[in-house]
Amino acid sequence: MLLCIALSACATKLAPPVQESQPQPPKDDNTTAELLTSENFLLNSLLAQKEDWQGVPYRYGGLSTKGVDCSGFVYITFLSQLNMKVPRTTAELLKEGEPVARNQLAVGDLVFFRLARGNRHVGIYLGDEAFLHASVSNGVMQSSLGNPYWRKRYWQARRLVGR
């Protein structure tokens, strides 16, 4: 019994005091400040892409400023802004990352829609109900998930960028 008491006393030995003049790094890599910085970087990158590509016409199979389709725009955006290679097609993008509930969307998540005749559409979530995509009718643009057209066709979301 005395041996157990003696051993437990050793286990609770206090560490030497930390000098106040030297701040210690956070123990958790996922601090709120880091998440906010990461999300701000991601949003700024997406907004830069929007500025560069807004109005580029829709072209099925396209991957340039002469024309781009929705999955091509996602592919180019992730590659050029985040140095991240993602699949080129909507079907393959649907298999990537983790599913995200509609009420848990974060900047950079992919949002998917079911359109007429079995077509699928993909965009990149910007926050505050906004997403960036290559629209068949208007080319690269920002739209709202709250718009009746998109709200009715919303299907699912996936997260490719780690949080």
Side-chain angles (χ1 to χ4, degrees):
M1 179 83 159
L2 289 174
L3 181 60
C4 287
I5 293 171
L7 289 175
S8 67
C10 292
T12 60
K13 183 178 176 182
L14 296 176
V18 176
Q19 294 178 348
E20 289 184 33
S21 61
Q22 295 178 340
Q24 298 297 308
K27 303 240 187 247
D28 182 9
D29 289 339
N30 294 323
T31 64
T32 303
E34 288 173 342
L35 286 174
L36 289 174
T37 301
S38 165
E39 190 164 289
N40 285 339
F41 172 79
L42 184 55
L43 180 59
N44 288 335
S45 297
L46 294 173
L47 293 175
Q49 187 77 342
K50 174 188 167 188
E51 187 174 314
D52 291 344
W53 284 74
Q54 189 156 348
V56 169
Y58 182 91
R59 188 177 79 189
Y60 183 75
L63 276 176
S64 75
T65 54
K66 292 181 180 180
V68 66
D69 64 19
C70 63
S71 59
F73 180 70
V74 168
Y75 175 83
I76 287 170
T77 299
F78 273 74
L79 188 60
S80 67
Q81 294 295 326
L82 307 173
N83 199 30
M84 186 175 162
K85 191 166 184 178
V86 300
R88 170 61 183 87
T89 66
T90 303
E92 290 299 313
L93 286 167
L94 279 162
K95 299 174 187 175
E96 293 293 310
E98 299 296 323
V100 179
R102 170 83 169 76
N103 64 350
Q104 297 293 313
L105 286 171
V107 173
D109 289 343
L110 299 184
V111 287
F112 294 89
F113 304 87
R114 286 186 175 162
L115 306 179
R117 296 171 296 181
N119 289 335
R120 305 292 185 255
H121 186 69
V122 63
I124 307 168
Y125 190 68
L126 297 173
D128 295 326
E129 294 287 300
F131 67 101
L132 192 55
H133 64 121
S135 158
V136 172
S137 57
N138 296 310
V140 175
M141 63 179 292
Q142 180 178 318
S143 295
S144 173
L145 292 176
N147 175 296
Y149 179 85
W150 295 113
R151 185 174 54 237
K152 180 179 178 182
R153 290 161 177 81
Y154 179 85
W155 179 26
Q156 65 174 288
R158 302 198 65 84
R159 182 163 296 153
L160 306 184
V161 179
R163 297 246 179 268

